[in-house]
Amino acid sequence: MSRIGKLPITVPAGVSFSVKNNIVTVKGPKGELHQDVNPDITFELNDGVLKVARPSEEKRHRALHGLYRSLVNNMIIGVSEGFKKEMELVGVGFRVTNTGSLLELSLGFTHSIFLMLPPEIKVETKSERNKNPLIILESADKQLIGQVCAKIRSFRKPEPYKGKGIKFVGEVLRRKSGKSAGK
């Protein structure tokens, strides 16, 4: 058995779960999410506990079992609690502002970078004196928020010498000593 696949998922109150035509739909207070699933994988909902089952011990079915259990679990957590990511801009003169869902990043390049975020993501920016600017992203979709964070980070990845760039709050960077450290 897949260790992850056989774990039961508790469905909190206020969250509805349904499967129709191999599409899983999860609705909750934070939104509604859909996911295509393989027709071999089955779902059983009893008294607020969801179990994922597979038809055989084939390697492909074992892999799909754990995958869809994780995806559905992330969907249920997303529509009930939501996901939140915080990123900080480390560097002199780095700034960020948002107008609705349009993010404007000044990262030391000649021009500002404008990024239009999907409507499912709520964005907030904070710029306080003597602190690094923050980007706070919230969404019910874990995959989408991770993809957007990766895109924002790709504009200026943290470099290993001074640590300048866009990083997650609390992320520990592997630092290198410069060429003067060898003397």
Side-chain angles (χ1 to χ4, degrees):
M1 272 311 265
S2 167
R3 289 185 191 184
I4 293 174
K6 69 181 178 183
L7 293 174
I9 303 170
T10 56
V11 180
V15 175
S16 66
F17 174 85
S18 65
V19 181
K20 188 174 184 182
N21 296 336
N22 300 326
I23 297 176
V24 171
T25 304
V26 179
K27 292 182 187 176
K30 298 269 185 182
E32 179 178 342
L33 296 173
H34 307 282
Q35 175 68 45
D36 290 342
V37 295
N38 193 296
D40 296 340
I41 304 298
T42 58
F43 297 93
E44 301 167 15
L45 181 62
N46 294 324
D47 299 329
V49 176
L50 181 67
K51 290 195 176 188
V52 183
R54 65 175 184 248
S56 70
E57 291 293 320
E58 274 185 56
K59 185 171 183 159
R60 189 175 71 84
H61 286 150
R62 290 197 314 254
L64 292 175
H65 189 208
L67 168 75
Y68 288 125
R69 190 263 176 209
S70 293
L71 291 177
V72 170
N73 187 43
N74 288 339
M75 290 167 65
I76 291 172
I77 291 170
V79 297
S80 60
E81 301 166 21
F83 293 101
K84 184 177 181 180
K85 298 269 188 181
E86 294 183 3
M87 305 177 87
E88 66 178 322
L89 281 66
V90 180
V92 177
F94 287 9
R95 293 189 317 270
V96 63
T97 56
N98 72 306
T99 310
S101 62
L102 180 69
L103 202 63
E104 180 184 356
L105 300 151
S106 298
L107 301 173
F109 299 120
T110 55
H111 299 294
S112 296
I113 297 169
F114 293 93
L115 180 67
M116 190 67 182
L117 299 175
E120 297 89 11
I121 293 184
K122 294 178 192 151
V123 64
E124 181 186 344
T125 56
K126 288 185 182 177
S127 296
E128 294 180 18
R129 192 171 168 88
N130 296 329
K131 289 190 178 177
N132 292 329
L134 289 175
I135 304 170
I136 301 165
L137 301 167
E138 291 184 51
S139 178
D141 193 346
K142 188 174 186 178
Q143 293 176 16
L144 182 65
I145 198 170
Q147 188 175 2
V148 168
C149 285
K151 181 66 177 174
I152 292 171
R153 185 182 166 105
S154 73
F155 294 134
R156 181 75 92 164
K157 289 184 180 163
E159 51 96 12
Y161 297 102
K162 291 185 177 179
K164 291 170 55 174
I166 302 172
K167 68 179 193 112
F168 292 101
V169 172
E171 178 183 7
V172 178
L173 297 174
R174 191 164 155 246
R175 302 290 293 269
K176 292 181 179 178
S177 58
K179 60 183 179 181
S180 64
K183 293 180 183 177

